[in-house]
Amino acid sequence: MMSFSAAGMAADKVTFLTSWYAQAEHGGFYQALAKGIYQKAGLDVTIKMGGPQVNGMQLLTSGQADFLMGYDLQVLKSLEQSLPVTTVAASFQTDLQGMLTHEDINGLADLKNGKTVLVSTSGRTTWWPWLKSRYSLTDAQSRPYTFNLQPFMADANLAQQAYPSSEPFQAMKAGVKSKFFLFANDGYPPYGTTIVTVNKMVQDKPDVVARFVKASMEGWKSYMADPSAGNAIIKQENPNMKDDQLAYALEKMKEYNFVGGGDAAKMGIGTMSDARWKKTYDFMVEAGLLKADVDWKKAYTTQFVKDMKVMP
């Protein structure tokens, strides 16, 4: 019988599909690629970019990707539709979604004082129901957000959805003073930039999943320390990403401690808890976004992160 050393064995081919064009918020994965962390884990990883026309869940469940950069609400909703998917790690301990406002706003509660809020189509079935019920806002206050900052800049009465690293940066570049409020700081429960796969992958190739999860979280640790290697690939993949934008994004990711904060500080990068998933499930059911009979515990597994201990 022939025997092979681990070094001589062919690496496992893995395709990871992101949620959008390459950016700092995906940096840990590109860093793991650039620094050979995946390679060292015996993985041959291809990162494919998502985008507005890409249905990630469809590509994952049809076998065209092994892992997907996911979102807790999307996974719970997929279970309701009987899709065999589960979350195996969370890069960020909170979701990145928040609100960009003008300087007269001191907290999200101030939005009910006659402010108009710009909400995207996806926002209507995710954070908007949470924000409405929490601060007594109404649908009459909302208008569609078209991912264009011009209306916000032109109207002091507008507030709009934003990510800390993106829209506030654009406003700053345009010389418009603004404030940003992260929903998670007010109790919005989902994780951010998760890794999702199909149940079959967890059952048949747990070793590949474990190696991909660990290497990705090591990528995040490395990216937060010095992002230059990952950023080189990000700029290659997405030439619209400039150095100042990437630097600003990293600064914000550190400021909000997305990677190493919360439970990750004690349990390690990528960690998830039953309590947090239950909160997301409860909010969705309460908001009428999810049927109560969905088995929320199938939305995730902690088997790959619980003893991994990639400390920030």
Side-chain angles (χ1 to χ4, degrees):
M1 228 178 110
M2 290 173 74
S3 69
F4 295 92
S5 72
M9 281 172 69
D12 292 293
K13 281 192 188 313
V14 164
T15 300
F16 177 59
L17 178 64
T18 70
S19 58
W20 201 250
Y21 308 125
Q23 53 186 277
E25 292 82 350
H26 306 165
F29 302 101
Y30 288 107
Q31 185 87 350
L33 197 59
K35 301 280 274 186
I37 300 170
Y38 286 136
Q39 206 181 343
K40 210 181 287 176
L43 299 170
D44 175 5
V45 176
T46 302
I47 301 178
K48 287 186 181 169
M49 288 193 296
Q53 307 307 321
V54 179
N55 184 331
M57 203 48 92
Q58 203 172 12
L59 293 175
L60 178 71
T61 51
S62 65
Q64 291 175 69
D66 301 297
F67 297 99
L68 172 69
M69 187 183 289
Y71 187 58
D72 302 351
L73 280 70
Q74 167 201 36
V75 172
L76 283 158
K77 201 67 191 158
S78 297
L79 290 186
E80 186 180 271
Q81 294 151 9
S82 303
L83 293 177
V85 295
T86 195
T87 308
V88 291
S91 308
F92 298 150
Q93 286 301 301
T94 59
D95 186 37
L96 303 181
Q97 194 74 62
M99 189 68 64
L100 184 73
T101 72
H102 290 281
E103 289 203 299
D104 59 325
I105 298 286
N106 294 311
L108 293 170
D110 290 352
L111 293 172
K112 64 173 173 287
N113 305 330
K115 295 292 174 191
T116 299
V117 182
L118 303 184
V119 186
S120 68
T121 307
S122 64
R124 293 193 178 275
T125 55
T126 52
W127 58 266
W128 177 239
W130 170 83
L131 194 68
K132 270 196 309 186
S133 71
R134 190 161 178 95
Y135 295 110
S136 311
L137 307 181
T138 66
D139 279 329
Q141 279 181 261
S142 72
R143 288 216 323 255
Y145 176 48
T146 57
F147 295 89
N148 172 1
L149 232 62
Q150 291 305 324
F152 173 81
M153 294 182 192
D155 185 348
N157 203 43
L158 283 189
Q160 64 154 67
Q161 69 181 69
Y163 278 157
S165 49
S166 181
E167 289 84 354
F169 177 75
Q170 291 168 38
M172 183 184 79
K173 293 274 276 194
V176 175
K177 289 186 171 173
S178 67
K179 285 184 180 174
F180 174 80
F181 298 94
L182 187 74
F183 293 152
N185 287 348
D186 280 51
Y188 188 55
Y191 289 107
T193 312
T194 62
I195 301 176
V196 178
T197 190
V198 289
N199 297 342
K200 192 171 169 26
M201 187 81 170
V202 171
Q203 285 148 16
D204 298 354
K205 297 183 178 176
D207 176 55
V208 173
V209 178
R211 282 183 283 136
F212 180 73
V213 166
K214 187 167 191 197
S216 298
M217 298 310 133
E218 285 170 351
W220 273 113
K221 180 174 181 162
S222 171
Y223 185 80
M224 297 309 286
D226 174 7
S228 49
N231 283 349
I233 302 185
I234 290 172
K235 287 192 291 185
Q236 201 178 312
E237 292 288 295
N238 181 7
N240 292 328
M241 267 300 143
K242 303 292 184 248
D243 287 331
D244 57 348
Q245 165 85 72
L246 288 163
Y248 183 88
L250 183 71
E251 190 189 307
K252 291 297 165 190
M253 279 152 57
K254 285 181 172 172
E255 183 187 322
Y256 289 100
N257 212 355
F258 289 127
V259 173
D263 292 336
K266 286 191 186 127
M267 304 294 293
I269 300 170
T271 197
M272 301 184 292
S273 75
D274 299 332
R276 276 286 292 286
W277 273 97
K278 175 80 164 63
K279 272 185 187 160
T280 300
Y281 161 81
D282 287 342
F283 140 64
M284 285 185 77
V285 171
E286 217 170 284
L289 299 174
L290 189 72
K291 290 182 182 142
D293 63 4
V294 169
D295 184 356
W296 60 274
K297 288 200 163 171
K298 285 189 172 155
Y300 66 100
T301 173
T302 58
Q303 76 184 81
F304 303 104
V305 292
K306 66 174 189 287
D307 302 315
M308 192 172 61
K309 298 284 190 285
V310 176
M311 301 314 291

